[in-house]
Protein backbone atom coordinates (compact mmCIF):
# COMPACT_ATOMS: atom_id res chain seq x y z
CA UNK A 1 0.00 0.00 0.00
CA UNK A 2 1.37 3.36 -1.01
CA UNK A 3 1.41 6.02 1.67
CA UNK A 4 0.32 9.48 0.57
CA UNK A 5 3.03 11.95 1.49
CA UNK A 6 1.70 15.19 2.94
CA UNK A 7 2.73 18.65 1.81
CA UNK A 8 5.46 20.30 3.88
CA UNK A 9 3.92 21.98 6.91
CA UNK A 10 6.50 24.73 6.81
CA UNK A 11 6.81 25.74 3.19
CA UNK A 12 3.92 23.89 1.53
CA UNK A 13 6.23 22.06 -0.90
CA UNK A 14 4.79 18.69 -1.87
CA UNK A 15 7.51 17.12 -3.97
CA UNK A 16 10.37 17.42 -1.49
CA UNK A 17 8.85 15.57 1.44
CA UNK A 18 10.41 12.27 2.52
CA UNK A 19 9.63 9.88 5.36
CA UNK A 20 11.80 10.58 8.38
CA UNK A 21 11.21 7.69 10.75
CA UNK A 22 8.64 7.20 13.45
CA UNK A 23 8.43 9.43 16.52
CA UNK A 24 8.30 7.93 20.02
CA UNK A 25 4.58 8.62 20.04
CA UNK A 26 4.21 6.34 17.03
CA UNK A 27 3.52 9.21 14.67
CA UNK A 28 5.09 9.19 11.22
CA UNK A 29 7.71 11.90 10.86
CA UNK A 30 8.57 13.65 7.60
CA UNK A 31 11.51 15.67 6.39
CA UNK A 32 11.29 18.40 3.78
CA UNK A 33 14.32 18.64 1.53
CA UNK A 34 13.26 22.05 0.26
CA UNK A 35 13.36 23.90 3.60
CA UNK A 36 15.35 21.22 5.47
CA UNK A 37 12.91 20.95 8.35
CA UNK A 38 11.07 18.00 9.77
CA UNK A 39 7.50 17.71 10.94
CA UNK A 40 5.00 15.14 12.13
CA UNK A 41 1.98 13.98 10.27
CA UNK A 42 -0.41 14.86 13.10
CA UNK A 43 0.43 18.58 12.92
CA UNK A 44 -1.51 18.69 9.69
CA UNK A 45 -4.72 18.59 11.73
CA UNK A 46 -3.77 21.53 13.90
CA UNK A 47 -1.29 24.29 13.19
CA UNK A 48 -1.38 23.93 9.44
CA UNK A 49 -5.05 23.22 9.19
CA UNK A 50 -5.99 26.67 7.90
CA UNK A 51 -3.34 26.48 5.20
CA UNK A 52 -4.65 23.10 4.08
CA UNK A 53 -8.24 24.29 4.18
CA UNK A 54 -7.32 27.17 1.88
CA UNK A 55 -5.71 24.72 -0.53
CA UNK A 56 -8.72 22.41 -0.34
CA UNK A 57 -10.94 25.37 -1.19
CA UNK A 58 -8.87 26.28 -4.24
CA UNK A 59 -9.02 22.64 -5.43
CA UNK A 60 -12.79 22.67 -4.99
CA UNK A 61 -12.91 25.88 -7.01
CA UNK A 62 -11.00 24.05 -9.73
CA UNK A 63 -13.55 21.26 -9.72
CA UNK A 64 -11.27 18.61 -8.23
CA UNK A 65 -13.12 15.71 -6.58
CA UNK A 66 -12.99 15.10 -2.83
CA UNK A 67 -11.24 11.77 -3.36
CA UNK A 68 -8.52 13.41 -5.46
CA UNK A 69 -8.08 16.14 -2.85
CA UNK A 70 -7.73 13.52 -0.16
CA UNK A 71 -5.04 11.76 -2.21
CA UNK A 72 -3.26 14.93 -3.21
CA UNK A 73 -2.84 16.28 0.31
CA UNK A 74 -2.55 12.92 2.03
CA UNK A 75 -5.51 13.63 4.28
CA UNK A 76 -8.39 11.31 5.08
CA UNK A 77 -11.53 11.65 3.03
CA UNK A 78 -13.65 12.29 6.11
CA UNK A 79 -11.33 15.17 6.95
CA UNK A 80 -11.90 16.62 3.48
CA UNK A 81 -15.63 16.42 4.16
CA UNK A 82 -15.13 18.16 7.50
CA UNK A 83 -13.20 20.97 5.82
CA UNK A 84 -15.85 21.32 3.15
CA UNK A 85 -18.63 21.60 5.73
CA UNK A 86 -16.55 24.18 7.61
CA UNK A 87 -16.02 26.18 4.41
CA UNK A 88 -19.72 25.91 3.60
CA UNK A 89 -20.64 27.18 7.08
CA UNK A 90 -18.25 30.09 6.67
CA UNK A 91 -19.88 30.84 3.35
CA UNK A 92 -16.56 30.48 1.53
CA UNK A 93 -17.90 28.01 -0.99
ZN1 LIG B 1 9.46 22.59 3.47
Amino acid sequence: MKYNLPVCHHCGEKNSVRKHGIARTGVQRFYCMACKRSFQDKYIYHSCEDKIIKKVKSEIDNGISYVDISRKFGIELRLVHRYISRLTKEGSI
Side-chain angles (χ1 to χ4, degrees):
M1 194 171 74
K2 192 179 176 293
Y3 190 90
N4 288 316
L5 291 170
V7 296
C8 174
H9 297 182
H10 302 293
C11 69
E13 176 61 48
K14 66 171 188 282
N15 296 317
S16 303
V17 174
R18 299 288 178 267
K19 279 192 182 182
H20 195 55
I22 307 285
R24 245 181 303 171
T25 50
V27 177
Q28 176 69 53
R29 292 183 58 79
F30 297 96
Y31 178 75
C32 173
M33 304 207 292
C35 65
K36 307 207 179 334
R37 292 167 79 181
S38 63
F39 59 92
Q40 290 181 6
D41 201 21
K42 290 278 159 143
Y43 293 164
I44 206 163
Y45 306 130
H46 304 292
S47 62
C48 291
E49 197 168 55
D50 287 345
K51 224 187 269 178
I52 296 288
I53 289 176
K54 271 185 201 128
K55 286 183 185 174
V56 167
K57 182 190 178 308
S58 82
E59 298 296 328
I60 296 285
D61 290 344
N62 289 328
I64 310 293
S65 78
Y66 294 1
V67 174
D68 286 342
I69 291 169
S70 145
R71 281 203 197 115
K72 186 168 180 179
F73 298 119
I75 56 180
E76 292 174 51
L77 191 56
R78 63 185 171 86
L79 207 56
V80 176
H81 284 284
R82 197 193 299 165
Y83 291 165
I84 303 298
S85 71
R86 192 160 137 183
L87 286 165
T88 309
K89 254 180 240 161
E90 287 169 0
S92 305
I93 49 171

